[in-house]
């Protein structure tokens, strides 16, 4: 797993890692927190950068009001806040600090699963014969309950389930264990058999198939290698040091006169925009650009003290440091950044881009630009980062009034394609299993 993804997932897991199943909070507190979040989104979140868009979480509040209980567990409370965040439709909005936690005795189910056609299927397990089985119940709880519990758990740009499905696929062991209260044993019922697995102290994670490769270059977890007559550039995250790596990579690609290049952006949750721009320069057929928009919103009104300070610093960075790029629009203050393709070592062969539900932020800037300005073909799963842009630039924090949960709250809008209304992630030209190995992908390309 790449470093950037590890950091992101660590933040998410630390946000809600431990639960006191006896701890209870009031329904009214939940409604108050969701109402504050709704007001913050409606009036201050850049997902509403354009008046024609009216994103809010009123529907989640109505569902919370309809709950037939006045007492809510810490786990359920956080799940409801996650539901609200999910319906904002912004991958960069997430729980940063959650005080509703205590220590527990870990006991994780030793399998991973994925949600396929509303079924819960085993994707990895200690016993290989069990892979592919459809689970009906775990410890007497129907699989449909687990699916429903987490189907609104992690947001994607545009309100899709791309990230949540990928997140569940990778961390289903931890999520299922949390849902069931970390029991010592897990009784799994399928259509053909029932068996019991002992809980483990660590979560069980999916494993990728090993690949036979010929390495050419590497920079940390990013790698350039050969497989048959294809050159594969695996980019697991974008770091500033990758700018030099990409130059050397395309120099090597030019030296071997490659015709087929796979850019693997699966599990790439982003990172350095500068590195993403350098990669695109070697692939785009024409000039490309993006804008950072400071929308006409009341973002600062809802931030906590630290958030207000971070927002002030970010405005100094853009409004003073980049004032020469500033222009005023009907939607707010915009800063435009334009780039030309590299002439030296530019790749002019066949380009194939791999995406999945973790492809977000800076990596979906690359996918958007290549979709607009190249002849690249896209394979894999829908990206979770928005095609026409995402929310970022600065990430101050709001604090919910009752629970004191702190939420990472983007301040600006990054516009990648102002002619498109597609706020969701790019849909690939060819759909592939999220864990397909390179050999399988090359066979698909050759069809």
């Amino acid at each position: 797993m790449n470093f950037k993804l590890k950091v992101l997932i660590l933040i998410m897991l630390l946000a809600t890692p431990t639960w006191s199943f006896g701890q209870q909070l009031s329904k009214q507190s939940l409604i108050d927190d969701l109402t504050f979040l709704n007001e913050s989104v409606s009036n201050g979140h850049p997902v509403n950068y354009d008046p024609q868009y009216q994103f809010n979480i009123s529907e989640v509040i109505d569902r919370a009001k309809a709950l037939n209980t006045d007492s809510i567990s810490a786990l359920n409370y956080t799940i409801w806040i996650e539901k609200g965040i999910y319906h904002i439709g912004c991958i960069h909005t997430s729980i940063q600090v959650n005080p509703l936690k205590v220590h527990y005795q870990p006991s994780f189910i030793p399998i991973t699963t994925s949600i396929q056609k509303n079924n819960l299927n085993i994707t990895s397990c200690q016993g290989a014969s069990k892979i592919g089985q459809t689970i009906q119940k775990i410890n007497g709880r129907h699989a449909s309950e687990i699916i429903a519990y987490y189907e609104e758990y992690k947001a994607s740009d545009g309100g899709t389930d791309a990230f949540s499905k990928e997140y569940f696929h990778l961390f289903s062991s931890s999520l299922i264990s949390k849902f069931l209260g970390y029991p010592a044993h897990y009784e799994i019922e399928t259509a053909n058999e029932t068996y019991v697995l002992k809980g483990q102290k660590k979560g069980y994670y999916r494993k990728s198939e090993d690949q036979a490769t010929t390495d050419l270059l590497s920079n940390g977890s990013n790698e350039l290698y050969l497989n048959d007559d294809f050159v594969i550039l695996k980019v697991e995250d974008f770091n500033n040091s990758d700018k030099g790596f990409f130059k050397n990579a395309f120099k090597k690609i030019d030296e071997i006169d490659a015709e087929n290049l796979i850019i693997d952006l699966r599990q790439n949750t982003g990172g350095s925009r500068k590195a993403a721009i350098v990669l695109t320069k070697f692939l785009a057929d024409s000039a490309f650009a993006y804008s950072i928009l400071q929308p006409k919103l009341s973002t600062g009104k809802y931030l906590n003290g630290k958030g207000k300070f971070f927002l002030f610093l970010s405005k100094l960075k853009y409004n003073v440091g980049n004032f020469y790029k500033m222009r005023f629009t009907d939607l707010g203050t915009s800063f435009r950044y334009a780039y030309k393709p590299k002439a030296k070592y530019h790749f002019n062969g066949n380009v194939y881009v791999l995406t999945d539900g973790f492809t977000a932020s800076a990596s979906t800037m690359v996918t958007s630009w290549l979709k607009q300005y190249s002849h690249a073909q896209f394979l894999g799963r829908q990206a979770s980062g928005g095609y026409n842009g995402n929310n970022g630039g600065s990430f101050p924090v709001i604090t919910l009034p009752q629970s004191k949960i702190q939420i990472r709250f983007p301040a600006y809008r990054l516009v990648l394609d102002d002619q498109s209304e597609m706020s969701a992630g790019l849909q690939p030209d060819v759909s592939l299993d999220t864990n397909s190995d390179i050999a399988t992908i090359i066979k698909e390309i050759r069809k």
Side-chain angles (χ1 to χ4, degrees), residues 402-421:
Q402 298 297 331
S403 63
K404 306 305 179 184
I405 291 173
Q406 296 182 27
I407 296 176
R408 189 173 183 250
F409 202 82
Y412 306 140
R413 179 74 180 179
L414 278 66
V415 181
L416 303 175
D417 183 354
D418 57 9
Q419 302 301 310
S420 172
E421 295 183 357

Side-chain angles (χ1 to χ4, degrees), residues 199-213:
Q200 298 184 348
K201 291 185 177 180
K202 293 184 178 180
Y204 200 75
Y205 303 108
R206 77 181 188 204
K207 297 180 175 64
S208 301
E209 297 294 329
D210 293 332
Q211 302 170 13
T213 66

Side-chain angles (χ1 to χ4, degrees), residues 10 39 41 61 91 95 111 124-125 200 208 240 242 338 353 358 377 383 387 440:
L10 179 62
E39 292 175 358
V41 171
I61 296 173
I91 196 169
I95 293 176
I111 64 170
S124 61
C125 185
Q200 298 184 348
S208 301
N240 282 329
D242 289 324
V353 182
F358 283 135
Q377 183 178 8
Y387 169 77
T440 300

Side-chain angles (χ1 to χ4, degrees), residues 280-294:
T280 306
K281 286 181 177 181
F282 288 104
L283 299 167
D285 296 331
S286 59
F288 58 98
Y290 78 103
S291 299
I292 293 181
L293 176 70
Q294 295 177 351

Side-chain angles (χ1 to χ4, degrees), residues 28-202:
Q28 187 57 51
S29 292
L30 174 62
I31 294 171
D32 289 346
D33 276 351
L34 288 173
T35 299
F36 177 81
L37 178 59
N38 189 44
E39 292 175 358
S40 304
V41 171
S42 299
N43 301 314
H45 197 290
V47 73
N48 286 312
Y49 72 99
D50 190 326
Q52 69 174 315
Y53 304 128
Q54 295 296 321
F55 291 93
N56 60 65
I57 62 169
S58 298
E59 184 263 344
V60 178
I61 296 173
D62 290 340
R63 286 159 55 191
K65 289 179 177 178
L67 289 173
N68 293 320
T69 180
D70 290 325
S71 182
I72 303 171
S73 71
L75 173 59
N76 281 329
Y77 197 102
T78 302
I79 290 292
W80 273 99
I81 299 301
E82 290 279 10
K83 289 179 187 293
I85 293 173
Y86 180 92
H87 284 273
I88 296 170
C90 170
I91 196 169
H92 284 134
T93 303
S94 59
I95 293 176
Q96 188 173 64
V97 177
N98 187 354
L100 307 180
K101 60 184 181 181
V102 296
H103 292 290
Y104 61 80
Q105 185 65 36
S107 176
F108 297 98
I109 188 170
I111 64 170
T112 65
T113 65
S114 64
I115 300 170
Q116 301 173 17
K117 297 180 179 179
N118 294 319
N119 290 323
L120 193 62
N121 295 338
I122 297 175
T123 53
S124 61
C125 185
Q126 292 172 330
S129 63
K130 303 184 188 307
I131 295 175
Q133 289 183 346
T134 297
I135 296 173
Q136 294 182 338
K137 294 181 181 180
I138 304 178
N139 288 11
R141 303 295 294 270
H142 286 277
S144 59
E145 294 181 72
I146 299 172
I147 293 172
Y149 212 64
Y150 290 114
E151 65 182 356
E152 301 171 289
Y153 192 60
K154 295 296 178 186
S156 298
D157 288 339
T160 74
D161 61 2
F163 187 85
S164 62
K165 280 188 175 180
E166 202 72 46
Y167 186 92
F168 186 88
H169 186 190
L170 183 60
F171 290 102
S172 57
S173 173
S174 295
L175 296 176
I176 291 172
S177 303
K178 179 164 53 176
F179 173 79
L180 295 172
Y182 304 101
H185 295 85
Y186 294 88
E187 182 180 83
I188 299 176
E189 181 180 331
T190 70
N192 300 320
E193 61 177 324
T194 298
Y195 48 90
V196 176
L197 300 176
K198 184 179 180 180
Q200 298 184 348
K201 291 185 177 180
K202 293 184 178 180

